[in-house]
């Protein structure tokens, strides 16, 4: 009989053949904003999509996905990677323009 219960649980809990990967979020909007703007990543914090949801839907989304907030180190790594893709890490015209804007 317990074998049937296990089979029923498997049938009602879809995993789509995917491994159980950590799901990360990084909230980018202000706490009192009308919508929550956030980054959502599965397995690797640097590979994310940008999403926008009402706060109540966001809370349900986070609960259903058992999300983990990115820590400071992960956020810094993501930001550094974005900078590299945006401006390059070589001595290029774009990187020189970025350097001028910070002076």
């Amino acid at each position: 009989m317990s074998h049937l219960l296990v089979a029923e649980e498997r049938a009602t809990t879809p995993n789509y053949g995917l491994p159980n990967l950590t799901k990360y979020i990084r909230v980018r909007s202000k706490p009192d904003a009308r919508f929550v703007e956030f980054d959502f990543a599965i397995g690797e914090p640097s590979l994310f999509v940008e999403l926008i949801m009402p706060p109540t839907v966001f809370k349900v989304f986070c609960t259903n996905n058992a999300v983990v907030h990115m820590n400071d180190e992960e956020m810094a790594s993501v930001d550094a990677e974005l900078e590299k893709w945006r401006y390059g890490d070589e001595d290029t015209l774009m990187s020189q323009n970025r350097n001028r804007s910070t002076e």
Side-chain angles (χ1 to χ4, degrees), residues 23 25 38 40 53 55-69:
K23 297 169 186 156
I25 62 165
F38 65 102
F40 177 65
M53 296 179 184
T56 53
V57 176
F58 174 72
K59 288 178 185 176
V60 172
F61 177 86
C62 290
T63 301
N64 288 345
N65 287 288
V67 300
V68 172
H69 287 266

Side-chain angles (χ1 to χ4, degrees), residues 3 9 23 32 36 42 47 55 57 66 70-71 90 100-101:
H3 178 67
E9 287 178 15
K23 297 169 186 156
D32 59 345
V36 179
I42 300 174
L47 184 59
V57 176
M70 288 185 206
N71 62 37
E90 298 176 12
R100 283 188 201 147
S101 66

